[in-house]
Amino acid sequence: MTRTTSPFRAPHDYYPTPPGGTRALLSVERFSGAIWEPACGEGAISKVLAAHGYQVVSTDLIDRGFGTGGVNFLAEQTSRARNIITNPPYGSGLADAFVRHALCLVQPTGGSVAMLLNLASLAHPMRHAQWVRRPPTSLYVLDELTCWPNGIERGFAAEHRYCWAVWRPDHVGRPSLWWLSTSVQM
């Protein structure tokens, strides 16, 4: 997958997730079975999941020295674990593609999907039909989370607000909405 990157975006949309973001999710959600983190980067989410007792399969398109590099999630035909949890790349519609593909991959496993998304993405008119057709089970709005590109502070990244969108198998109806603190210690 070759893409041109905006000068205002980190290469390959690499924005590591601070541990508090994943701990916040785990303060309210439990996952049965192994978890695949398909955009693992240097392991920010994977390490928190493993520290909480989950078996984690970590892959990424780019080899950053953690997990298995060179794996194009969007080209995978089967899920590598029952559940999928990630902070997907956002540029060029990739977050939408990750959500759709993850939901397809976990359908045979009966697993769940959790995606860290830009809160503004929930209100985008191009996504309306997708979200209404397949709404998440739960949306968790994070109080404060900044995913700095490669650890380098840039102003635009601080302007984003994030939420976890969680899809459970066989969910029907509207999602629940709740607020989470990223300062939770577990």
Side-chain angles (χ1 to χ4, degrees):
M1 176 175 7
T2 304
R3 296 187 354 256
T4 58
T5 302
S6 161
F8 301 108
R9 298 198 62 81
H12 301 284
D13 277 7
Y14 180 52
Y15 296 85
T17 306
T22 307
R23 284 194 305 265
L25 174 67
L26 296 179
S27 75
V28 292
E29 290 284 344
R30 300 290 176 265
F31 299 89
S32 176
I35 297 169
W36 181 13
E37 211 299 36
C40 72
E42 295 173 344
I45 292 174
S46 296
K47 291 173 183 176
V48 174
L49 293 171
H52 284 84
Y54 290 101
Q55 177 187 350
V56 184
V57 177
S58 303
T59 64
D60 201 309
L61 181 63
I62 307 302
D63 186 351
R64 299 186 192 281
F66 184 89
T68 303
V71 177
N72 181 348
F73 173 70
L74 297 175
E76 294 290 294
Q77 299 298 310
T78 58
S79 186
R80 294 182 180 219
R82 183 167 194 235
N83 306 286
I84 297 173
I85 299 175
T86 195
N87 175 357
Y90 296 170
S92 303
L94 286 171
D96 293 324
F98 263 64
V99 168
R100 283 190 303 271
H101 195 60
L103 291 171
C104 288
L105 289 176
V106 300
Q107 193 166 7
T109 72
S112 299
V113 171
M115 295 277 174
L116 183 67
L117 301 172
N118 184 332
L119 190 56
S121 70
L122 303 180
H124 197 285
M126 290 176 52
R127 295 183 184 99
H128 177 85
Q130 176 183 336
W131 288 91
V132 169
R133 184 174 47 257
R134 184 77 191 267
T137 306
S138 303
L139 294 168
Y140 298 107
V141 180
L142 299 175
D143 62 352
E144 184 175 16
L145 186 73
T146 304
C147 300
W148 298 116
N150 297 318
I152 300 167
E153 295 186 17
R154 292 188 185 166
F156 74 92
E159 296 170 8
H160 292 286
R161 295 290 177 239
Y162 296 94
C163 67
W164 282 104
V166 178
W167 287 264
R168 295 280 181 190
D170 303 322
H171 169 74
V172 190
R174 295 177 180 180
S176 65
L177 174 72
W178 198 245
W179 295 265
L180 299 178
S181 174
T182 58
S183 62
V184 66
Q185 297 297 316
M186 297 175 58

